Amino acid sequence: MSAQAWPLPFWIAHRGAGKLAPENTLAAFRHGAQHGYRAFECDVKLSSDGIPFLLHDATLDRTSNGQGVAGDLPWATLSRLDAGSWHSRAFAGEPLPSLEALARFVIGNRYAFNIEIKPTPGQALLTGQVVGREVLRLWAGSGLAPLFSSFEPEALQGARETAPEILRGLLLDSLREGWLAEAQALGCAAVISNYRLMDQPTVDAIHATGMKALVYTVNDAEAAQALIARGVDGIITDAVDRFSPA
């Protein structure tokens, strides 16, 4: 892949379809697409045998019929879990997708993606390295490329080592000391913060460095309008049934 253009439209569906379908499953992305969304956020971590797959939590208990730390299990075990029944009977049997399955789905439908690198604790650098390498392999020749993001600077550094040409965004849930310099040192193209942090001075400071300012997870129309007025460059939302991405 050559130097990457900014890959995302303004509206991005959180974990596929927000809370309307089981998060981080292909069913969720299909559901979000039915509401007109063409860009999605998802979470990726590693199985014990190094296969990247989609899951938000460190553990399996909340969003599957599995138990314990997901990263302690091999992909052969993880791939057989039911990641849909917890949400509703309509999604019973929906599997955890591998990054490879996601790539086939994304490329076939020409969707844009923000891949959050969500490592199992202690695996930040390795997870970033593997996800970076695998995205270059799986998306090669597609003319598409995702945006990487992470709350873990070490994960972004790992992705930078193996896929320097894929754009990166630093995720923030607080404006810790030195956050802007940290994003610049990581060669980030964006800062993606909790929307409550993104006041006008913060937007302006990010833009002054040439980076884009994005926010998560905005589900309130009044908050969305205020953020749009401040000039944010993207909104991640659960409310795919209420906010039109057009």
Side-chain angles (χ1 to χ4, degrees), residues 34-66:
Q34 288 171 0
H35 287 278
Y37 279 74
R38 307 290 296 174
F40 304 93
E41 182 266 359
C42 69
D43 305 280
V44 174
K45 51 173 41 74
L46 301 181
S47 66
S48 65
D49 48 347
I51 304 298
F53 71 99
L54 275 59
L55 185 73
H56 176 273
D57 298 2
T59 59
L60 292 159
D61 304 59
R62 181 175 66 88
T63 58
S64 81
N65 64 341

Side-chain angles (χ1 to χ4, degrees), residues 85-136:
S85 291
W86 70 273
H87 181 277
S88 55
R89 288 171 64 182
F91 296 104
E94 188 68 24
L96 294 170
S98 66
L99 184 64
E100 186 158 5
L102 178 71
R104 288 195 298 268
F105 175 79
V106 170
I107 293 164
N109 290 285
R110 309 300 293 173
Y111 292 146
F113 259 78
N114 166 202
I115 294 176
E116 181 183 341
I117 304 169
K118 198 82 174 180
T120 301
Q123 293 191 352
L125 183 67
L126 175 65
T127 304
Q129 291 168 334
V130 173
V131 171
R133 185 180 67 238
E134 286 300 287
V135 162
L136 282 189

Side-chain angles (χ1 to χ4, degrees), residues 149-238:
S149 64
S150 189
F151 288 99
E152 304 270 355
E154 208 177 359
L156 291 175
Q157 181 56 38
R160 187 184 194 180
E161 290 173 8
T162 56
E165 59 268 62
I166 302 291
L167 298 184
R168 296 172 297 282
L170 180 63
L171 279 161
L172 295 171
D173 203 29
S174 65
L175 297 181
R176 58 180 176 266
E177 187 176 352
W179 62 270
L180 190 59
E182 187 174 31
Q184 289 178 285
L186 287 162
C188 288
V191 172
I192 309 167
S193 82
N194 184 309
Y195 77 92
R196 294 177 180 86
L197 305 175
M198 197 65 80
D199 58 15
Q200 194 66 60
T202 303
V203 175
D204 293 344
I206 294 167
H207 283 166
T209 68
M211 289 187 286
K212 293 186 181 290
L214 284 78
V215 288
Y216 70 88
T217 305
V218 183
N219 299 322
D220 174 76
E222 193 173 329
Q225 288 305 314
L227 289 156
I228 290 167
R230 284 173 211 149
V232 300
D233 300 293
I235 288 177
I236 299 170
T237 183
D238 289 321

